[in-house]
Amino acid sequence: MSTTAAQGAGSPKKPIVAIITMFFIFAMISFVTNMAAPFGNIWGFRYEWAGMAGNLMNFLAYLFMGIPAGNMLIKYGYKKTALIALAVGAIGLGIQLLSSVVGDDIIVIDGSTPTTLNLFIYLLGALVCGFCVCMLNTVVNPMLNLLGGGGNRGNQLVQMGGSFNSMAGTVTPLLVGMLIGNLTAKTSMAEVAPLVITGIVIFIFSFIIISLVKIQEPQAQLNKVKYEHSPLAFRHCLLGVIAIFLYVGIEIGIPGELNAWISREKFEGAAAVAGSLAALYWLMMLIGRVLSSAISGKVSPRTQMITVSTVAIALVLMAIFLPEKITFTSPAIESLNIKSGQVPMKCLFLFLCGLCTSVMWGGIFNLATEGLGKYTAKASGIFMMMVVGGGVMPYIQDWIGRTFGYVNSYWLVVAMLVYILYYSLYGSKNVNKDIPVSEEPFDLRDL
C-alpha cells in the first residue's frame, strides 16, 4: 500500500470521532432543555405565573453566557469548553434535585400568594443548567459546520446532529409525563427525582468519555486573529440573529404551550397525554432532521427554509381555525388507555409542526454564518445570546394563553414564522462581501 493510500485510509478517523462526540453533546442539550417545560407544569399548578418560569431561567442564561461562551471557545477550545459545560450541568441538575427535598415548608414571600423556598432553588438550578446548555450549543454548532466544510455538507452534519437532539427531546417529556401522571396540589419535584438523578449520572459519564476523546481544535489559532469588524456588520448575520431569537421561541413555545394546555384538561392521565403529545412533536422533529440530513447535500438550506416556514404557517393557522370540538386519537394516546374524543384535532397540526421546525436551527445558523470566515466563532457567541428567545417568547405566549386562551396564543407563533419566511426569502442574502473575512484561517483538510 502506498503512503498516500495509507494516509487517505486513515484520515477519516479523526473527523468521525469528533463528529460522533458532537452528536452525543447535541443529545445532552435537548435532554436538559426539554425538562424545563414539563417540570414547569408542577410549579404552574401551584403558582400560575411559574408555569414557564423555569424555562425562562433556562434560556435567560444564554443572554449572559452567549458571548463569554464564544470567547471560551476561542481561548480554551472545543474540548475544554465542553468539559466545563458538563460539570456545570451536573451542578445545575443537583440544585434542581435539592428543590425536591429542601424548602417546601419555608415561606419566603408574604402576600396573597405566598411562595415556598424550593421554587427559587429550582429556578436557580434551571439557570445554572442554562449556562451548561449555552456552552454546549456554542461548541457543537460551529464544530459540526466546520467538520462538514461549510455549505450544504456543513448543514447536513448539523441536521444529523439535530436528529440526536430530537431523539432525546422525544423521550424527556414522555418520561416526565409518565412519572407525574396527574397534576394535583400535592405533586412535587420529588415525583421526577429519578429522571434528574439519571441526568446527573449521564453528565458525569459524558465528562469522563469526552475527557478521553481526542478532538482537533480547528479554531485554536483564532485567538491570534485581529477582528476589524463585528459579525453584526454583516446584514445577513444581524437579521439571522433576530431569526434565531424568534425561531427558538417557536420551537419551545409550540410543544410547551400544548403541554400546558392539555395537562390542565379534566380527564384521567391528562399530564401523561400532554407529555405524549409533546413527545410526538419532538418525534416529528427527529423525523424531519433525518429527512433533512438525507437531502441537505443536494438541497440548499435556503430552499429548505422557505419550504418549511411556509408549511408551518399553514399548519398553525389550521390549528387555530379548526373547531375545538373536532377530536382525534392516536396509538400513543390509546396506549395510555385514554378514551377517543378527548384530544382536539388542533393538537395534530401543532405537533406536526415539528417536521418544519426541525430544519430551522441548522438552516438559519448555516445561512447566517455563511461567508463569515474568521468571524464565525464570535457570531456563534452572539447566536447563543439570542437563544434567550426560547425563554422570553414562550413566557409571553403562556401569558397570552392564560389571558386570552391557549389556542389564541398561537397567533404569536404565526407572526414569528412570517419573519422566518422573510429571512429565508430575502434577509439571508450576504450583501457585505466587501468585508475581508479570511475564509480559511485553517486548513479543513487537516481535520
Side-chain angles (χ1 to χ4, degrees), residues 84-276:
I84 293 171
L86 291 170
V88 171
I91 294 171
L93 288 178
I95 295 173
Q96 292 188 49
L97 182 63
L98 186 65
S99 72
S100 67
V101 295
V102 175
D104 195 32
D105 298 323
I106 302 174
I107 306 298
V108 295
I109 295 179
D110 294 326
S112 58
T113 308
T115 309
T116 52
L117 178 62
N118 60 341
L119 171 57
F120 293 96
I121 294 175
Y122 163 73
L123 293 178
L124 175 61
L127 180 65
V128 174
C129 281
F131 290 135
C132 160
V133 291
C134 178
M135 287 184 279
L136 290 179
N137 257 316
T138 306
V139 169
V140 71
N141 287 282
M143 184 68 170
L144 282 178
N145 196 37
L146 290 168
L147 288 171
N152 289 358
R153 175 59 179 166
N155 181 56
Q156 186 175 33
L157 283 184
V158 173
Q159 298 297 349
M160 291 173 67
S163 299
F164 286 82
N165 182 278
S166 296
M167 192 179 301
T170 300
V171 173
T172 304
L174 182 61
L175 290 177
V176 174
M178 292 174 64
L179 288 171
I180 294 175
N182 289 311
L183 281 173
T184 68
K186 295 182 179 180
T187 304
S188 70
M189 285 292 292
E191 307 289 338
V192 294
L195 190 61
V196 179
I197 294 172
T198 300
I200 294 172
V201 173
I202 292 175
F203 269 126
I204 294 173
F205 180 75
S206 302
F207 184 94
I208 296 171
I209 293 297
I210 293 177
S211 66
L212 299 175
V213 174
K214 291 184 178 180
I215 300 177
Q216 296 292 328
E217 300 291 349
Q219 290 188 274
Q221 62 180 287
L222 288 187
N223 57 355
K224 301 177 182 178
V225 175
K226 293 183 178 179
Y227 300 95
E228 298 83 6
H229 301 275
S230 163
L232 299 182
F234 297 83
R235 191 197 71 165
H236 72 293
C237 182
L238 174 61
L239 296 180
V241 165
I242 299 173
I244 283 289
F245 178 88
L246 296 178
Y247 158 69
V248 186
I250 294 168
E251 179 190 285
I252 302 299
I254 290 176
E257 198 67 7
L258 179 61
N259 199 323
W261 167 23
I262 300 301
S263 66
R264 286 165 175 75
E265 292 294 302
K266 304 300 182 182
F267 59 82
E268 183 68 22
V273 173
S276 297

Side-chain angles (χ1 to χ4, degrees), residues 265-436:
E265 292 294 302
K266 304 300 182 182
F267 59 82
E268 183 68 22
V273 173
S276 297
L277 292 173
L280 286 172
Y281 170 86
W282 293 104
L283 179 61
M284 293 300 104
M285 286 195 70
L286 171 60
I287 294 171
R289 280 170 170 164
V290 170
L291 293 174
S292 178
S293 64
I295 66 173
S296 289
K298 297 180 180 179
V299 182
S300 71
R302 183 171 180 269
T303 299
Q304 292 185 53
M305 287 294 299
I306 293 171
T307 302
V308 297
S309 55
T310 302
V311 173
I313 291 171
L315 287 172
V316 178
L317 286 175
M318 284 189 284
I320 291 173
F321 288 111
L322 192 70
E324 194 165 331
K325 63 182 179 181
I326 300 178
T327 58
F328 83 109
T329 188
S330 73
I333 295 174
E334 289 176 341
S335 66
L336 295 169
N337 297 318
I338 303 302
K339 294 180 180 179
S340 177
Q342 292 180 311
V343 179
M345 181 68 75
K346 294 172 179 287
C347 300
L348 172 65
F349 295 107
L350 292 175
F351 70 67
L352 283 177
C353 287
L355 290 169
C356 302
T357 56
S358 63
V359 178
M360 292 181 181
W361 173 268
I364 294 171
F365 186 88
N366 185 278
L367 290 173
T369 59
E370 191 70 24
L372 293 189
K374 65 183 181 182
Y375 295 100
T376 301
K378 285 188 174 292
S380 179
I382 297 174
F383 276 111
M384 291 308 104
M385 283 184 63
M386 291 299 101
V387 174
V388 69
V392 174
M393 301 312 294
Y395 196 83
I396 294 173
Q397 185 183 353
D398 188 57
W399 175 83
I400 295 173
R402 288 183 283 105
T403 306
F404 302 102
Y406 289 109
V407 175
N408 288 328
S409 74
Y410 284 93
W411 280 111
L412 179 62
V413 175
V414 172
M416 293 188 287
L417 285 169
V418 169
Y419 178 86
I420 300 295
L421 178 59
Y422 157 76
Y423 180 73
S424 305
L425 287 168
Y426 306 107
S428 59
K429 296 178 181 178
N430 185 358
V431 297
N432 303 105
K433 295 182 179 180
D434 56 319
I435 300 177

Side-chain angles (χ1 to χ4, degrees), residues 6-28:
Q7 290 175 344
S11 58
K13 294 182 179 179
K14 292 182 180 179
I16 287 175
V17 171
I19 289 169
I20 291 175
T21 303
M22 293 304 113
F23 286 172
F24 191 75
I25 290 177
F26 237 136
M28 294 303 302

